[in-house]
Each structure stands twice: as C-alpha cells, then as structure tokens.
Amino acid sequence: MSSQVASHRVGKKLVDVIFGASGACNEAIKVHGAEKVTNATVGSIIGEDGKLACLPTMEKAFRGLKISDVAAYAPPAGLPAYLDAVIGLTFADNKPEGHIAACATSGGTGALHMAIQNYSEIGDQVLTSDWFWGTYNPLCQEAGRTLATYQLFDENQNYNVKALEAKVEELFAKQDSLLIIINTPAHNPTGYSLTDEEWTKVLDMSKTWAAKGKKVNLMVDIAYIDYAGEKNETRRFMKQFSNLPENIFVMFAFSMSKGYTMYGQRTGALIGLSSSAELIEEFKNVTKFTGRATWSNINRGAQTLLTTIQQDSAMLAQFEKERDELYGVIRDRAAIFMKEAEECGLKALPYKAGFFISVPAKDSAAVCEKMHEDLIFAVPLKKGVRIAVCSIPKAKMYGMAAKVLKALKAV
Ligand code: PLP
C-alpha cells in the first residue's frame, strides 16, 4: 500500500472503542426506540429527560457574552483574570504553600499535552494506572513518549501503592525524570478517588526519589473534581503539596468541559506548583511556548464566561447550586447500581464518585456484545466494561447490575 504521510506517521490510526460502542447503540435505537435502549457509552452528563445536560447559568452567561469577547484573540497564555480564577477554583481553601502559575489550554486534554511535552523526555515512559482514560496513550505517542502502567488496585481492591512504588523504581532505573499521571478524584473509568493517606504515601515515595536526585513530575488530572463531593473535602489532599523539594514539580489539569458542561468549547488550564520561584518562571515560559506552537491561543469567550460567573456572587451561588444538583443526580444513579451490584454479587471496582463505574472482565468485548441482548450498550476496555452512569436516567439503572452479571457469566 502506498503512503504519502511522513515515514514516522505511517500507520497512525486512532482506535476509538467509545465511538464504536456508541455507533452500535445508535443502530439499536433506530430499531427499538430510545426508551428501550440503555446508552451507557456517553461520557457527558445526560439529564433525566434524556438530553445533554447544560447548566442554566452557564447558558445564561454564554448567551450574555459581548461579541467582542467571542471574536477577539486571547493572549497566548490566557486572560490574566481567567488564570487567577482558575487557580482559585483548583484549590478552593486548600491552596498549598509554594509558587503557582497557570496557562490556558484546550481543555484538560490540552493540559495533559503541555505536561507531556514539557515535563517528560522524548523517548521516555510516562506512568499511569492500568485502568486509565484511553486518550493518555495517543497523547504520549504523539509526543514520542510511551505510556507505562501500574496495577491500580491490589487483590483487596485497595489503591495499590506498592505496585506504583515498584513501577517507579523500575522506570527510575532507566530514566532521570518521570511524569506520573494520577486522575483523581472520581477517576475515569473506575470512579475511584485517592484518600489523603494514599496521597501521603505517593508523596513520601516521590520525596525518596527526589532525595536521590531524580526529577519527579506529578500530574493530577482533576477533570471530574466538581462531581466528587464537597468542594473543600475533595481538595483537602492538595494541602499536602506545600513546600515540596524543588525536584518534585506538581501540575493540575483543570477543565471546563465537565464542571461547566462546556465540553465543546475546549477550555481548560495547566496549573504548575513548585517551591521554587525560578521553576515557576520556567513553567510560564515553556507552557506559553507550547500554547503558541499548538493552538496559538485559547477560546476567549469561554475564559470570559468563567470570570463573569466567578465575579458575580449571586450568579456563582446559583451556578454552584445547579451543579450540585447535577452531581446529586449522578450520585443517585451510581448508588442504585452499586447497591444492586452488592445484592446480586457483581464485583464492580470500588466506585467513590464521578461519571463511570467499571466491572472487570477478561473478554470485555464479548461481555458488552452479550449485554446488547438486553439492549444495554457499554464500552469494552482492555480490563473490563465501563458503564457511564453520567448518561443513564435513574429509571434505567434499576436491574442493570443483574444484567451485567448475567452477561459476565454467559461468556
Ligand atoms: N482527563 C480525563 C480522565 C478525562 O476523562 C477527560 C475527558 O473525558 C479529560 C481529562 C479531558 O477532557 P477535556 O479535554 O474535554 O477537558
């Protein structure tokens, strides 16, 4: 077969299991009607009315934007007021001591891109857990890195700090620096959130390596933090990042996609935290450079929308109330599934919060295929089946755990 692309791009093709699963679901909807079909594939919040949920205050602020704020460019690093607001939103009352800066990005995905480009070496491995958001893979590959994984849960379904430690040791035998991506709270695809004690262990491990002269770069992917619990409780672990050694650099991937129900507006930020002012200056320089060279600058309207809500206390209170209600809907749906899973003996992974619940399966594709007989459509991942509780109305949650168990037993 002939090829026109550059030699190092030959054969590049995105494998998108979610797209495939949602395609099969749409076909079933055509045949059986939407009421009979359960679409557990969508990674956005679908309301109880079956429509994409949009926070009303977000819509009001969006429609109220001045056309000049929609049309004009933003500065390459982002609007200063947006960056200040984003730092405030990331930490709430749990701001660690240290130097902090932010750079606007194209969603959380853009923040991950920036972190990989600037805080891992070309050819090195980036580390995350074995249950992970699939996009981490192409993000690493695109940048000439590869993704390594450690086992997320031990045999008792506890966070597997030992597996993390072992993998870090293995990688530091080959590399001088390491970027570790931890998606918490409300991890995609398991719904797990690290406890404060688990974070202490992760940081103790990081400090051990830092003391040996290695560079530890921690990326905390907080894409789902606004659907994980009370604002300050979900962020309490961040206080632990105060006054870390200089060679532990901490980053956060902030995203407006879920928190503002603005997935398509592609706006987020990378936040950098360090005990060194110099390293934060360096962070500002390299991230601005990457931004300019990747997307030039970021959606000014979305940035302005965020600051508009943030600067109006009545609007902010209303916005937070609406989002908490939406979180409550997701929480109720997940509670139905987890209660029934417990009752029928389905071993789902330890879900704490967020958009997804996962069930381990050896042949997840076959299990998903089997679930189609009950008109349930979920996403087959390498290690199991992902069920998007964010997209399933409560009424359809009842009886679902038993059907997943039935499919698991049948294959
Ligand atoms: N991180 C995780 C774990 C995600 O699941 C997602 C989106 O699905 C993102 C980051 C980034 O999303 P976005 O680029 O839309 O902000």
Side-chain angles (χ1 to χ4, degrees), residues 294-347:
T294 310
W295 41 67
S296 186
N297 56 82
I298 294 295
N299 188 327
R300 185 184 187 108
Q303 294 180 57
T304 308
L305 177 145
L306 184 142
T307 48
T308 303
I309 295 177
Q310 221 40 42
Q311 287 160 4
D312 179 332
S313 57
M315 211 174 188
L316 179 61
Q318 176 63 21
F319 175 75
E320 288 185 340
K321 181 171 159 280
E322 290 163 5
R323 191 167 58 190
D324 283 347
E325 279 166 15
L326 211 47
Y327 165 52
V329 171
I330 300 174
R331 205 176 40 204
D332 291 349
R333 294 171 181 172
I336 295 168
F337 187 92
M338 291 307 280
K339 179 170 176 282
E340 291 191 351
E342 170 118 35
E343 283 164 3
C344 73
L346 174 71
K347 288 194 175 57

Side-chain angles (χ1 to χ4, degrees), residues 96-108:
E97 280 168 42
H99 301 272
I100 298 171
C103 184
T105 61
S106 172

Side-chain angles (χ1 to χ4, degrees), residues 17-70:
V17 283
I18 300 174
F19 189 73
S22 78
C25 184
N26 290 335
E27 285 307 307
I29 289 172
K30 275 190 213 151
V31 178
H32 303 280
E35 300 80 56
K36 294 215 172 71
V37 174
T38 301
N39 187 352
T41 67
V42 186
S44 317
I45 308 175
I46 304 295
E48 289 293 295
D49 58 359
K51 294 192 189 124
L52 182 73
C54 294
L55 294 166
T57 299
M58 177 282 285
E59 182 177 349
K60 190 174 154 206
F62 187 78
R63 292 189 189 278
L65 285 171
K66 286 202 302 259
I67 194 64
S68 55
D69 278 325
V70 173

Side-chain angles (χ1 to χ4, degrees), residues 106-109 112 133 136 183 188 221 223-224 255 257-258 266:
S106 172
T109 310
L112 285 151
W133 182 44
Y136 291 163
N183 173 210
N188 174 8
D221 181 352
Y224 298 94
S255 168
S257 295
K258 284 92 180 160
R266 310 303 314 130

Side-chain angles (χ1 to χ4, degrees), residues 89-151:
L89 286 166
T90 296
F91 300 109
D93 298 338
N94 302 276
K95 204 175 194 178
E97 280 168 42
H99 301 272
I100 298 171
C103 184
T105 61
S106 172
T109 310
L112 285 151
H113 165 78
M114 260 189 182
I116 294 165
Q117 285 288 345
N118 292 297
Y119 290 87
S120 69
E121 299 284 339
I122 295 171
D124 268 5
Q125 294 208 279
V126 171
L127 182 61
T128 197
S129 57
D130 56 354
W131 290 89
F132 64 94
W133 182 44
T135 306
Y136 291 163
N137 237 332
L139 276 166
C140 287
Q141 285 169 20
E142 185 74 356
R145 282 73 161 167
T146 52
L147 194 65
T149 59
Y150 65 95
Q151 205 185 344

